[in-house]
Amino acid sequence: MSQKVAIEVPYVYNATVVKARCRKHVDILFRDEAPMLLEAVPSEQRHEAFRYQNSKVKHEIILSTFDGKDGVYKALLEPDLKTPLSPGRLEYLLSKKCVTWCDNPFPFAAAAHMVNRSGTDIIDIRTHQYRHEVPIKEWRWDDRLARVANLQWWLDLVILCDGVLYRRDLEPVWLVKLTSPGEAKISATTCPAGEDPFFTFKADALDEAIDFVKERLKSRFNIDGALKVSSAMAVRRNDRQMAAYHVLKVFLSDIECNPLQELPTHILRLYCALRECKESVLGSGWSEEICEQIIRNALTLSKVLQQNVGSPTCIKKSVLQRFSLRWELEEVDPFRGLSISFD
């Protein structure tokens, strides 16, 4: 039986105010803390699902499932990437040290004003004032409600179990990547990325990956890492879902490189739709047909974003062609049957 646990999450928000003894309004960043609700579950609901390791991941990664929850979860770690992250330590790290790290459960929400756009210069949240510390004559606008809602949206993807925070993650896969003509590498990983030719196979399909390299790619290969499936029930996401997830991830990262408030309204609506789609793929509810539609529409999405956002990463036609090779699609037509409206 799960229950809700409250934690205090520090954050900053934008406000438009007229200061005391002033006539013109100014935009100010204020700091505050928001009580967030975190779902806590008993330890007996957690079950080990996968263990994997590769040449880049020196320590074995354990992924778990939770009763009644879709997808797999990874224990979050502190900035040293060794110590399990607890709610108390998360509050401390966000409010006192203001560091950003890969296992921060609020990658965009809480860290939005802690780093610059290049993600390098850290700004201490303690340098911002509270609202009551600034003499104000008129309060015109602020985005507190939106920021708090965004924080809670990210925290809804996190589970507390035995004092440790777990974040929903991708299932590990066997990734086939061509390293040179006639040479391929089969790696255990959860993060296939980039536009270089790669193919993903489910965790329990190493033999299928090897046959694919031998028979379809006609290549020699080496195996990087180890991947153990602890429970057969854990292998529930298919490789079309994995591909659709990473296509969406590329487009979201392109949009997030720009100040969201400066984007056209229809692109903001598209951003919300893409984000919702990306997180939905992490569950088990998407059909292969919908995921195929996303893959087929990748070039159209790229074209729309290029016209409205600037110069985002383009999904090349070769990427769609390798999907066609892998799944023997009749035709890859990225301009057919758009499932997301751009109007």
Side-chain angles (χ1 to χ4, degrees), residues 10 77-79 85 88-99 101 114:
L77 302 176
E78 291 194 17
L85 181 64
R89 285 290 296 171
L90 174 64
E91 292 172 306
Y92 172 79
L93 290 169
L94 290 177
S95 62
K96 303 298 183 184
K97 290 190 173 183
C98 300
V99 294
W101 71 103
M114 293 182 190

Side-chain angles (χ1 to χ4, degrees), residues 64-311:
S64 305
T65 56
F66 288 89
D67 292 341
K69 300 290 183 181
D70 283 332
V72 294
Y73 289 75
K74 170 182 171 293
L76 296 179
L77 302 176
E78 291 194 17
D80 62 8
L81 300 183
K82 296 179 181 179
T83 310
L85 181 64
S86 65
R89 285 290 296 171
L90 174 64
E91 292 172 306
Y92 172 79
L93 290 169
L94 290 177
S95 62
K96 303 298 183 184
K97 290 190 173 183
C98 300
V99 294
T100 57
W101 71 103
C102 59
D103 273 3
N104 179 358
F106 306 109
F108 302 110
H113 292 284
M114 293 182 190
V115 297
N116 64 9
R117 287 184 62 183
S118 64
T120 54
D121 298 329
I122 297 176
I123 302 172
D124 194 331
I125 196 172
R126 292 171 295 177
T127 62
H128 299 298
Q129 295 176 296
Y130 288 99
R131 174 177 178 174
H132 66 268
E133 295 176 329
V134 180
I136 295 174
K137 180 169 62 177
E138 181 183 354
W139 190 276
R140 293 193 175 181
W141 171 87
D142 67 72
D143 62 353
R144 282 179 297 174
L145 292 179
R147 289 195 177 273
V148 170
N150 201 26
L151 287 168
Q152 187 63 63
W153 186 89
W154 284 106
L155 204 59
D156 287 342
L157 303 176
V158 177
I159 290 176
L160 176 64
C161 183
D162 279 344
V164 176
L165 296 175
Y166 290 80
R167 172 71 186 275
R168 193 160 53 177
D169 204 346
L170 294 175
E171 287 183 7
V173 295
W174 289 106
L175 180 144
V176 174
K177 184 173 182 178
L178 295 173
T179 55
S180 62
E183 296 285 345
K185 182 166 69 173
I186 304 175
S187 305
T189 183
T190 61
C191 301
E195 295 186 15
D196 295 331
F198 67 83
F199 305 88
T200 56
F201 292 80
K202 290 189 290 186
D204 57 352
L206 177 58
D207 291 341
E208 181 184 342
I210 293 174
D211 290 342
F212 177 76
V213 172
K214 290 180 177 178
E215 303 300 327
R216 300 294 295 276
L217 301 182
K218 307 296 184 182
S219 298
R220 298 181 298 272
F221 66 92
N222 62 75
I223 297 177
D224 175 21
L227 175 51
K228 175 186 177 183
V229 181
S230 305
S231 169
M233 294 298 292
V235 185
R236 61 182 74 175
R237 189 175 305 114
N238 60 56
D239 30 18
R240 280 184 178 86
Q241 287 175 308
M242 294 288 293
Y245 175 89
H246 288 290
V247 167
L248 293 169
K249 187 176 179 180
V250 168
F251 293 128
L252 283 173
S253 65
D254 288 334
I255 297 176
E256 285 159 353
C257 288
N258 299 268
L260 295 184
Q261 66 270 22
E262 297 178 8
L263 295 177
T265 301
H266 68 287
I267 294 298
L268 284 175
R269 287 202 299 265
L270 173 61
Y271 170 73
C272 294
L274 290 176
R275 191 176 76 167
E276 182 179 351
C277 287
K278 182 172 79 76
E279 296 303 331
S280 297
V281 175
L282 289 178
S284 58
W286 272 29
S287 67
E288 291 192 1
E289 289 74 21
I290 294 177
C291 291
E292 267 188 32
Q293 204 170 19
I294 290 175
I295 295 167
R296 291 175 184 275
N297 293 334
L299 284 178
T300 301
L301 279 169
S302 180
K303 182 179 179 181
V304 170
L305 291 180
Q306 204 164 23
Q307 292 172 344
N308 290 271
V309 178
S311 299

Side-chain angles (χ1 to χ4, degrees), residues 193-198 250 313-319 322:
E195 295 186 15
D196 295 331
F198 67 83
V250 168
T313 304
C314 292
I315 301 296
K316 297 179 181 178
K317 191 171 183 179
S318 61
V319 177
R322 62 181 164 82

